[in-house]
Amino acid sequence: MANVDAAPSRAPLRAPAPRRQPTARQRALLAELEELFLAEGFAQFTLDELAGRMRCSKSTLYALAPSKEQLAVKVVGHFFRGAAELLEERIGGIEDAREIIGEYLAGISEYLNRASAAFMSDIAAFAPARATYELNSRAAAGRIRTFIAKGVRDGVFRDVHASLIAEMAGLLIEGIQTGVIGSRTGVSDADAFTALSDLLLGGLAVASRP
């Protein structure tokens, strides 16, 4: 009969190693890759071609990511993280929910205007990069919900169906991100976000009293 008091030996738990921060050269290289991908997309490049365009060795690129596909995801993530940071800076200090939504969606539109059709098409066609865009879009929809709720609390937005409008805004953002809106209307994602801003601010506005 086994000794139930004897506990199996276990290796001591180790704390996960801290993530290595990118060097200044790697940050600069990511920024250069971002500009290249924004202008020309990323699907058509090989690592050899990217190394040539960046004037660096392939080992330098491998230090950023172990494959071209993972490098593309890293650069796409870098682009959208930059967007999130700039948007929060843009609305910092603004108290009026109408101005917050206007500035936030205008910022998204301006940021996406940096991206070529090739870049957006490559994101749509590459599932890991598309997932990064989807994550960013869900986060943006969540921020807009908080802005609408603030506007209702402050009395600058009508409270009739405000939560429903917030959910509809989230669905519209998803439609923009997945390309459904663009394919049906022929507009860019940037233009679609501008139209969404007009729609939200017009639909939620408190009617002026005579």
Side-chain angles (χ1 to χ4, degrees):
M1 189 172 181
N3 184 355
V4 295
D5 293 327
S9 61
R10 294 180 180 178
L13 296 176
R14 294 182 180 178
R19 293 183 61 181
R20 183 178 300 173
Q21 295 299 313
T23 65
R25 170 57 180 148
Q26 287 175 327
R27 290 194 297 271
L29 186 58
L30 270 175
E32 292 172 19
L33 285 166
E34 179 182 302
E35 291 303 319
L36 175 63
F37 288 3
L38 285 172
E40 302 180 31
F42 53 82
Q44 79 277 17
F45 288 114
T46 65
L47 274 177
D48 285 322
E49 290 169 340
L50 288 174
R53 293 289 292 271
M54 295 296 102
R55 296 185 177 136
C56 69
S57 65
K58 285 174 66 175
S59 62
T60 299
L61 295 178
Y62 280 129
L64 286 176
S67 69
K68 192 204 87 168
E69 290 75 19
Q70 292 183 49
L71 182 63
V73 172
K74 191 177 189 73
V75 174
V76 169
H78 184 265
F79 173 69
F80 285 116
R81 278 193 302 276
E85 291 170 2
L86 285 176
L87 288 171
E88 293 303 321
E89 290 177 7
R90 182 168 180 147
I91 63 174
I94 301 176
E95 292 299 325
D96 191 309
R98 295 165 296 189
E99 293 182 27
I100 293 174
I101 288 179
E103 284 294 317
Y104 191 82
L105 290 174
I108 293 177
S109 177
E110 291 172 16
Y111 205 80
L112 287 179
N113 263 328
R114 297 175 54 207
S116 65
F119 179 72
M120 300 305 294
S121 177
D122 285 349
I123 287 177
F126 184 42
R130 188 171 66 248
T132 299
Y133 189 10
E134 290 170 354
L135 182 63
N136 179 81
S137 297
R138 286 194 296 272
R143 292 296 283 141
I144 290 170
R145 290 188 188 97
T146 65
F147 303 152
I148 292 175
K150 171 178 169 55
V152 172
R153 289 195 307 270
D154 294 347
V156 297
F157 289 154
R158 295 181 299 138
D159 61 358
V160 178
H161 300 311
S163 60
L164 174 61
I165 292 174
E167 289 302 316
M168 291 171 67
L171 291 173
L172 282 171
I173 289 175
E174 182 180 340
I176 295 169
Q177 181 275 317
T178 57
V180 172
I181 300 295
S183 65
R184 292 181 179 178
T185 64
V187 302
S188 67
D189 286 9
D191 288 340
F193 276 108
T194 299
L196 176 59
S197 177
D198 294 339
L199 182 65
L200 283 175
L201 294 177
L204 288 166
V206 175
S208 59
R209 295 178 180 177

